[in-house]
Amino acid sequence: MISASGSIVVLTGAGMSAESGIPTFRGVDGLWEGHRIEDVASPEGFARDPELVHRFYNLRRAALNHVEPNEGHRALAQLERGWKGGFLLVTQNVDDLHERAGSEKLIHMHGELRKVRCEGCGAVLTWTQDLSSGTRCRACGGIGGLRPHIVWFGEFPFEMDRIMAALAKADLFICVGTSGVVYPAAGFAREAARRATCRLIEVNVDQTAISSHFHQHIHGPAAVELPKLVDSILHGR
Ligand code: OAD
């Protein structure tokens, strides 16, 4: 499928964590339910009603205490450990299930629920508690400057240069559980396909907006299909 020294890039989306019990964004039980996206996931929404935005992310942060990585997360960590060539895991997910499963070569391009950022001093802090407009920054002592370390609509995803460099030399691109409607991540398959020798595999329970870019489609839940795919990559089965 790919030479032993080849480079692998994996992109994951909300479907990756679905079987851990975290609802996807665009599913029937979608996370935005009850909230307009622009109210809870934009700088303008935060400026308008910071307490609403804090409550929304406080609930999601607290929910992380009740979920565990699934077999799909564990399979990707096993792939990283067992693979001798280049490897990068890019996730759009803001949960911490990849790292809890053991992944290390990981980029959270849309930020992390368990981090906050101070708009006063720029510090990025690990955070497991609730946040409000009255919370004091542990780094500078300022009040009112902390916000979730999440990429909102209209903001730039993190580490795009590193991601694009990895895609430019990828021999295998695996895309798991993303609907392919939010850019720039939705453009990664097309980017990887610019390299004629790169093989593209999509793992999803459904067809997506970007399915046509892939050579192979694995239809099924990530927690079931990824262990089999990783086994075949590592052991040629
Ligand atoms: P979506 O909710 O848009 O898409 C989830 C995808 O996962 C769909 O294609 C489902 O078919 C698929 N899926 C569901 N369960 C699955 C399972 N068990 N195994 C495999 N696939 C499954 O979520 P994303 O594509 O991740 O951005 O959404 C992208 C971005 O939109 C998010 O990162 C978020 C949101 O706005 C920010 O917060 C910045």
Side-chain angles (χ1 to χ4, degrees), residues 13-15 19 24-26 92 110 151 153 177-179 182 204-205 221-222:
E19 286 144 286
T24 61
F25 291 95
R26 292 168 184 84
Q92 298 167 87
H110 287 168
V151 176
F153 286 93
T178 181
S179 54
V182 175
N204 201 301
V205 290

Side-chain angles (χ1 to χ4, degrees), residues 13-180:
M16 180 78 231
S17 298
E19 286 144 286
S20 292
I22 301 179
T24 61
F25 291 95
R26 292 168 184 84
V28 280
D29 53 352
L31 254 180
W32 306 120
E33 205 181 334
H35 295 287
R36 296 188 312 158
I37 291 181
E38 54 271 35
D39 286 341
V40 291
S42 73
E44 296 76 20
F46 186 55
R48 219 170 20 243
D49 191 347
E51 292 310 330
L52 170 76
V53 175
H54 282 313
R55 273 200 306 279
F56 180 76
Y57 290 98
N58 286 345
L59 283 172
R60 296 179 63 195
R61 193 178 304 109
L64 292 184
N65 295 328
H66 308 289
V67 294
E68 295 291 335
N70 63 51
E71 289 306 314
H73 294 103
R74 280 190 270 276
L76 290 178
Q78 187 195 346
L79 179 60
E80 177 184 325
R81 277 194 304 275
W83 189 249
K84 301 285 180 277
F87 183 88
L88 182 65
L89 172 56
V90 181
T91 188
Q92 298 167 87
N93 298 343
V94 294
D95 65 56
D96 59 351
L97 296 182
H98 280 306
E99 47 269 57
R100 279 202 252 160
S103 289
E104 291 178 358
K105 295 174 183 168
L106 170 67
I107 291 177
H108 276 280
M109 65 177 288
H110 287 168
E112 295 171 66
L113 267 177
R114 282 185 160 164
K115 286 191 179 161
V116 299
R117 183 165 81 240
C118 178
E119 291 187 313
C121 72
V124 175
L125 308 166
T126 298
W127 207 271
T128 53
Q129 306 301 312
D130 283 354
L131 196 61
S132 78
S133 305
T135 311
R136 186 181 292 277
C137 172
R138 283 202 304 264
C140 70
I143 290 177
L146 291 176
R147 59 161 278 182
H149 191 48
I150 301 283
V151 176
W152 287 328
F153 286 93
E155 298 182 323
F156 288 107
F158 298 127
E159 304 213 52
M160 283 302 295
D161 289 352
R162 249 180 91 201
I163 296 170
M164 295 315 267
L167 286 170
K169 54 181 193 235
D171 299 295
L172 175 62
F173 175 68
I174 304 171
C175 187
V176 186
T178 181
S179 54

